[in-house]
Amino acid sequence: MDSLREELLSEIPIVQNWIFVAFLFCLFLSLPALSKGGRTISSMFQSLFKNDTKDSLFLESAKNELVSKILLILQSIILFSIIAYSVIKTHTYIEINEVNKLHSIILWLGLFGLSFIMTKLILYNIFNNIFFRKEDVAIWNETFSSILSLSGLILFIPTLIMFFEEKAYIYCLIFIVTYLIGSILLTFYKIYSTFFYRKGLLLYFILYLCTLEIMPLYWAYKAFSFLFISM
């Protein structure tokens, strides 16, 4: 038993090294957005407050920033995986009996996050293009991608501190949870203001949330629980 514990402890710095490489990779992913004098970041913040479907210049700029946003969304997925790994490592008392599980858990969390985001994007595009105007769908896609992209920038420093500084873990976790709750509420508000506000369809808005927001989160929770137990 002692030898197994020593072997696991010897593997922890290796995991930390890989996480450090992941943070460097995230920094590389954020360079295209940071290298344009803040114009891309400013545009993403502005997209959170725009509901004018006639703003063609705004939609055109969104297309030009597509590559930067894709890279930042990938960064967000990596950071969410590190956050989930940190929470699991800190708040669970399940002994890991195989050393390689320390290496594979982040990879599986990343694949899970990527699958969840891709599923959400597919559902949004199918459902929204069927029931709503093309201009409204374009604005919502821009808003949703901006929320995901900004998460990669805003959560970078808190996640870095959370993983490498145990004394600041709880403060970073509180900030991250607060930010995520705020992002979810902002997402709900933007859905309502983009698709339902002018029509006054509150009941349809509730059904929309249940179908495309609450149910996917529920199934994601069930899938995550199954993944965690199996690992």
Side-chain angles (χ1 to χ4, degrees):
M1 187 66 183
D2 292 336
S3 61
L4 175 59
R5 186 179 294 107
E6 292 176 0
E7 184 179 4
L8 288 173
L9 290 175
S10 66
E11 290 293 323
I12 292 177
I14 299 178
V15 177
Q16 291 178 339
N17 290 338
W18 280 108
I19 295 294
F20 182 73
V21 172
F23 278 115
L24 289 179
F25 182 63
C26 288
L27 185 61
F28 172 77
L29 292 176
S30 62
L31 287 179
L34 298 174
S35 62
K36 297 180 181 180
R39 292 192 301 272
T40 299
I41 299 174
S42 176
S43 175
M44 287 189 289
F45 274 108
Q46 291 176 14
S47 70
L48 302 181
F49 303 98
K50 283 183 175 290
N51 280 327
D52 187 3
T53 58
K54 296 180 181 180
D55 195 344
S56 58
L57 293 177
F58 161 68
L59 294 178
E60 185 64 29
S61 65
K63 295 178 181 178
N64 296 333
E65 298 160 359
L66 181 61
V67 174
S68 297
K69 288 189 174 184
I70 291 175
L71 295 178
L72 288 177
I73 290 173
L74 178 59
Q75 176 172 321
S76 298
I77 294 173
I78 295 174
L79 293 179
F80 288 147
S81 302
I82 296 174
I83 292 169
Y85 173 80
S86 299
V87 172
I88 291 172
K89 181 172 64 72
T90 303
H91 296 283
T92 60
Y93 301 95
I94 300 175
E95 185 176 4
I96 301 176
N97 294 319
E98 296 181 16
V99 173
N100 59 359
K101 288 185 178 180
L102 289 170
H103 301 84
S104 62
I105 186 171
I106 297 180
L107 175 61
W108 283 109
L109 287 171
L111 293 176
F112 175 82
L114 179 61
S115 301
F116 178 74
I117 295 299
M118 293 301 298
T119 301
K120 290 275 289 184
L121 290 174
I122 293 172
L123 289 176
Y124 278 141
N125 279 280
I126 293 176
F127 193 92
N128 292 341
N129 281 289
I130 292 176
F131 293 100
F132 302 112
R133 297 188 306 166
K134 180 179 179 181
E135 294 83 358
D136 291 338
V137 174
I139 286 183
W140 165 244
N141 289 339
E142 169 63 15
T143 300
F144 184 65
S145 63
S146 294
I147 292 174
L148 289 177
S149 301
L150 289 171
S151 297
L153 293 174
I154 295 173
L155 296 180
F156 180 83
I157 298 298
T159 306
L160 179 66
I161 299 174
M162 176 185 183
F163 185 83
F164 288 105
E165 182 53 57
E166 294 183 0
K167 294 181 180 180
Y169 169 84
I170 187 63
Y171 303 104
C172 293
L173 181 61
I174 292 173
F175 174 84
I176 291 170
V177 171
T178 303
Y179 173 80
L180 292 178
I181 293 175
S183 297
I184 293 173
L185 293 178
L186 177 61
T187 300
F188 290 176
Y189 167 74
K190 293 301 295 185
I191 290 172
Y192 180 73
S193 62
T194 302
F195 296 125
F196 300 97
Y197 176 74
R198 291 184 297 274
K199 302 176 183 178
L201 301 175
L202 182 59
L203 177 60
Y204 288 95
F205 169 65
I206 296 174
L207 293 175
Y208 183 98
L209 290 185
C210 292
T211 303
L212 293 183
E213 297 296 333
I214 298 176
M215 287 302 296
L217 286 175
Y218 171 76
W219 288 112
Y221 167 75
K222 299 293 288 186
F224 179 79
S225 300
F226 174 79
L227 174 65
F228 177 69
I229 293 174
S230 65
M231 294 188 64

